[in-house]
Amino acid sequence: MTESQRTLYDLAAANPDVRFSPPCWAIKLALKHKGLDFDTIPWRFTDTNVLDVSGQSRVPVLVDGGHEVHDSWQIALYLDKTYPDKPLMKSYTLRSAARFTKAWVDNTMQPAILPLILEDIYDCIHEKDRDYFRESREKRFGKPLDQVFTDKKGQAIILEGILKPLEETLSEIDFLGGAAPNYSDYVVFGRLQWARVVSREPFAPTDTDGPIAAWFSRILDLYDGFAAKSPIIRNQ
């Protein structure tokens, strides 16, 4: 299969090279893990017609030849079924662990990170997306965007507590997958990379010494530094 036959729709900031979607990062690393070539197409919140191929309105969307898959978990399952070499989840047990990790990340970790980077996301997205982003988030939180999550210091302490089990785990092993990374690593990494990419200031969990930052650096360096080479806002 040639590179142009496998395409991932990937959320972009105003700068099309800045990519910040957590589940898109998980899938990009999953594709790299598999050794699969792919192109990405920058997608933005208001590009509603672009994803008509998938019949829904959220990324990631993978088009593999003539086959379309959306939803990051379904894409990961598809990749392991279609390309069984270099599995993302080598056993039913590891698949169950990855599914738990994804649920924890979606319901606990990601909501704790969002208050710290909400303004940064708004600042970095394309101008055409800002009205949609503001209106949808204000509807979600029931208050004006500038009144949402004003206590960043307190929220950073909350996030530190939430990440404590991750820190303790990574103090004993190199990766959540053990000796080598697996899909659980990519799911968690995607949420931290989200914050790293959009934040105008260093993001404490990934920019201070400790087991999480060391693990994060190991993931950044994987696949010839694929994630490390991705543009981030504070370097623009």
Side-chain angles (χ1 to χ4, degrees):
M1 175 170 287
T2 64
E3 188 172 348
S4 62
Q5 290 176 288
R6 190 178 295 110
T7 302
L8 183 72
Y9 290 84
D10 187 15
L11 182 61
N15 178 345
D17 295 328
V18 174
R19 309 296 179 84
F20 63 96
S21 163
C24 288
W25 269 108
I27 294 306
K28 286 184 288 189
L29 288 173
L31 288 161
K32 286 290 184 179
H33 179 108
K34 292 282 188 181
L36 300 172
D37 292 328
F38 62 98
D39 294 325
T40 63
I41 294 179
W43 177 87
R44 297 188 176 96
F45 291 111
T46 53
D47 291 340
T48 53
N49 63 323
V50 174
L51 299 182
D52 284 350
V53 64
S54 69
Q56 52 90 60
S57 59
R58 301 180 68 179
V59 291
V61 173
L62 178 68
V63 179
D64 187 9
H67 194 77
E68 174 277 323
V69 195
H70 60 270
D71 180 85
S72 59
W73 181 249
Q74 294 304 319
I75 294 173
L77 297 179
Y78 167 82
L79 290 174
D80 264 355
K81 181 178 180 180
T82 308
Y83 305 100
D85 290 345
K86 302 178 183 177
L88 296 165
M89 298 164 277
K90 290 184 178 180
S91 66
Y92 180 79
T93 299
L94 291 177
R95 174 177 162 179
S96 298
R99 189 65 187 87
F100 173 84
T101 300
K102 182 181 182 302
W104 174 75
V105 163
D106 287 346
N107 293 288
T108 304
M109 181 180 173
Q110 182 165 319
I113 293 173
L114 180 59
L116 299 171
I117 63 172
L118 189 66
E119 293 176 83
D120 294 321
I121 296 172
Y122 181 81
D123 288 342
C124 82
I125 60 178
H126 197 284
E127 188 173 303
K128 71 178 184 177
D129 284 346
R130 289 185 176 178
D131 286 346
Y132 161 79
F133 187 85
R134 176 179 289 277
E135 291 169 6
S136 61
R137 272 55 184 179
E138 288 182 347
K139 182 177 180 181
R140 178 186 301 180
F141 297 115
K143 62 179 70 175
L145 202 62
D146 58 3
Q147 295 179 19
V148 177
F149 307 127
T150 55
D151 182 14
K152 288 190 176 182
K153 184 176 180 180
Q155 188 61 35
I157 293 171
I158 291 172
L159 177 61
E160 184 179 355
I162 286 171
L163 294 179
K164 194 67 176 176
L166 179 66
E167 180 182 27
E168 292 180 0
T169 301
L170 292 172
S171 70
E172 299 181 1
I173 56 178
D174 285 343
F175 299 100
L176 297 177
N182 67 8
Y183 194 62
S184 289
D185 290 275
Y186 305 147
V187 168
V188 176
F189 175 88
R191 272 60 185 186
L192 296 175
Q193 177 76 335
W194 174 46
R196 173 179 176 267
V197 169
V198 304
S199 297
R200 294 202 171 275
E201 301 294 334
F203 182 63
T206 60
D207 289 296
T208 55
D209 291 338
I212 293 176
W215 162 84
F216 188 81
S217 182
R218 288 192 287 273
I219 302 289
L220 284 176
D221 289 341
L222 290 173
Y223 316 121
D224 194 30
F226 172 71
K229 293 174 183 176
S230 178
I232 65 176
I233 288 296
R234 66 177 180 264
N235 289 344
Q236 300 301 298

